Amino acid sequence: MPDATGDATRAAHAGLPAAEPFRPPMPGPVMSAYFHLPGDPTGAPYAYGRETNPTWTALETAVAELESPGEPAHAAVFASGMAAVAAVLFGHLRPGDTVVVPSDGYHGVHQLGDRLGEFGVTVRQVATADTEGQLAALADARLLWLETPANPGLDTCDIRALADAARERGVLVAVDNTLPTPLGQRPLELGADLSVASGTKGFSGHGDVLLGYVATRDAALLGPVRTWRSCVGAVPGPMETWLAHRGMATLPLRLERQSANALAIARRLLERGDVADVRYPGLPGDPGHAVAAAQMSAFGGVVSFTLPDRAHAERFLAALRVIGEATSFGGVRSMAERRARWTEPPAGPTPGDGAGEVSAADDPAGAHPAAQVPPGFIRLSVGIEDAADLIADVDRALDETARSAD
C-alpha cells in the first residue's frame, strides 16, 4: 500500500494489489473450490478452497495492517465471529487447561465455555471491571479472554496492565475487539497476543455479511487457529470476504460518525429522568471512561440504558420510527433491542407454569446466567443517520411510552 500513517488512508488501501494498467484496483472475489495443482503440493499458495483463497489473502493482509500498522502481523478470516472465537479457544486449549473469561461478556463465549468444560477445560468467570479478580484468576491459567468494552454492559478493563501481568505468568491473552474495531482500539499494540473480532458488526458495517477474524503478531499462534478453521470448515465465502474488504474503506468515516452520534444520544439520555444507568465509554462520567480514554481512539456506536421493566422497554422499542429493532450493532442503520429477551422465557407465563425457567432449546441464543441483564435493559447501536433525527426518535418514543403507562 502507499506510504501512509493515517488510518483513513490505510483503511482505503490496505490489502489491495499494486496498481497495474487496465486492471481493477480491487480484484473481484475468486469463486473456486479448487485450483490447478500439479506435482508436489507442499508450499502451494492455493490448492483447495477449504484451505486458502486469494480473496481471503487480500482481506487478511488488510486486517493485519489495520490491527498492527507499526509491526508485521498475520490474520485469518472465518465464516463468522463465533467461528473465530471457537478457533482460538479450541485451537489453544487442551484438557486440563484453564481459561479466564469475562462473566459479563458476549453470551456466545459462555456457550463455548460450556462445551470446553465438557472436554476437560476449566472456565473461570470474572467481571470485566474486576481487575483484582482477573489477576487472581490467572493462577495456572493458559488463556485470558478479555472483552472491552464488554457487550452489552460496556464495562472496560486495562488491556496493557492485564497483558503485562499475564505475560509474567506465561498466560496467553486474547481480546474480543468487535465493538471498537481496529480503528477504535488495537489490542496487539497494548500487549495482547491475539485480537479477535466479528467482522459482521462495525468492521464491515452494512449488516449484509457474516464474518470473523483473528489477528496476531506471532505467526506460530495463528497455526492452531488456521488448522481448526480447515478441520471444521469454518471458512468464509469469497463474496462475503470481498464485501467485507470493500466495506472496510469507509470504516473511518462510519466509526467517526457513529461515535459522535452515540455521544450525543448518551448525553441526551442523561438529561431524562425516565431512564437509568446510561452507559457509554465516551461519557466523562462513565465508570469505564478513564480506562477507555487511555486505550481507545474512538468510543464506538453502542449505548446502553435501562427502563423500568420489560413492558416499558417493549413499548419504547415499538414506538421507535427511525431506529429499528434488531440484534446486532455497528451497522450504518441504528437499531436497538431489549437485550434480556435472550436470557428469559417468552412473554406470557404465569406463576407455577415455569416462569423464570428457560432452556437452550427455547432460546436460540443459548440462555446463560452470566449474560443476564435487567428486563428493561436496552442496547442501542447508533448508526450514521443525522444525530438530531435519532435524538428526536428516542425522545418521542420515550415520551409516548411514558404517556401510555399513565
Side-chain angles (χ1 to χ4, degrees):
M1 64 174 284
D3 291 336
T5 57
D7 282 343
T9 305
R10 185 176 294 109
H13 292 271
L16 300 183
E20 185 178 344
F22 319 117
R23 303 293 294 174
M26 182 173 177
V30 176
M31 315 290 283
S32 184
Y34 65 91
F35 302 84
H36 290 297
L37 189 63
D40 185 355
T42 304
Y46 305 105
Y48 186 66
R50 186 164 45 81
E51 302 286 344
T52 49
N53 179 289
T55 313
W56 302 356
T57 300
L59 180 58
E60 289 170 347
T61 301
V63 167
E65 291 180 13
L66 263 62
E67 286 278 355
S68 181
E71 189 173 318
H74 316 270
V77 292
F78 289 82
S80 68
M82 283 305 300
V85 172
V88 171
L89 294 179
F90 282 93
H92 283 283
L93 295 171
R94 298 292 180 269
D97 285 344
T98 295
V99 59
V100 182
V101 303
S103 58
D104 52 339
Y106 181 57
H107 63 78
V109 174
H110 300 292
Q111 290 177 269
L112 282 179
D114 292 340
R115 305 289 80 76
L116 287 167
E118 295 170 356
F119 287 96
V121 174
T122 299
V123 180
R124 296 175 183 157
Q125 297 186 25
V126 184
T128 295
D130 183 3
T131 301
E132 293 303 316
Q134 288 169 320
L135 293 174
L138 290 178
D140 302 320
R142 166 64 179 160
L143 176 65
L144 171 63
W145 184 274
L146 304 176
E147 183 179 341
T148 179
N151 172 30
L154 302 179
D155 273 335
T156 60
C157 62
D158 188 329
I159 296 173
R160 188 181 299 280
L162 290 167
D164 288 346
R167 185 175 298 105
E168 292 175 357
R169 296 163 173 79
V171 179
L172 291 175
V173 177
V175 178
D176 183 335
N177 203 41
T178 300
L179 194 151
T181 80
L183 297 193
Q185 179 173 269
R186 292 195 169 107
L188 302 182
E189 292 185 347
L190 297 168
D193 299 291
L194 298 147
S195 181
V196 188
S198 168
T200 307
K201 309 298 195 297
F203 185 84
S204 58
H206 293 272
D208 54 6
V209 168
L210 283 173
L211 193 99
Y213 70 78
V214 180
T216 179
R217 289 175 169 174
D218 185 347
L221 294 179
L222 208 58
V225 171
R226 284 188 169 134
T227 297
W228 177 267
R229 177 180 69 180
S230 177
C231 287
V232 302
V235 297
M239 180 58 75
E240 288 82 357
T241 306
W242 185 85
L243 284 171
H245 196 174
R246 183 193 65 166
M248 193 186 77
T250 61
L251 174 55
L253 302 174
R254 290 185 278 108
L255 182 60
E256 180 180 9
R257 180 64 170 255
Q258 289 164 331
S259 297
N261 282 353
L263 180 59
I265 290 174
R267 284 172 171 164
R268 175 58 185 144
L269 288 169
L270 286 176
E271 297 172 353
R272 297 196 60 112
D274 51 354
V275 301
D277 196 25
V278 177
R279 296 297 307 272
Y280 181 64
L283 288 169
D286 188 88
H289 177 72
V291 171
Q295 65 190 22
M296 299 179 73
S297 55
F299 298 111
V302 178
V303 178
S304 71
F305 58 97
T306 302
L307 296 175
D309 52 41
R310 175 176 179 166
H312 198 106
E314 289 175 345
R315 289 196 300 272
F316 164 73
L317 292 169
L320 292 169
R321 295 294 176 266
V322 177
I323 300 169
E325 185 174 3
T327 181
S328 191
F329 61 86
V332 292
R333 288 172 289 277
S334 297
M335 63 191 82
E337 74 167 331
R338 194 180 67 85
R339 192 63 181 165
R341 62 181 175 171
W342 299 113
T343 55
E344 66 188 10
T350 56
D353 67 356
E357 299 177 2
V358 61
S359 69
D362 299 320
D363 174 14
H368 202 289
Q372 289 181 352
V373 291
F377 181 96
I378 300 294
R379 185 182 71 181
L380 172 58
S381 170
V382 184
I384 64 171
E385 302 95 339
D386 291 301
D389 291 335
L390 295 175
I391 291 172
D393 196 37
V394 170
D395 274 337
R396 183 191 48 73
L398 286 171
D399 291 343
E400 287 186 13
T401 302
R403 287 194 295 270
S404 66
D406 294 339

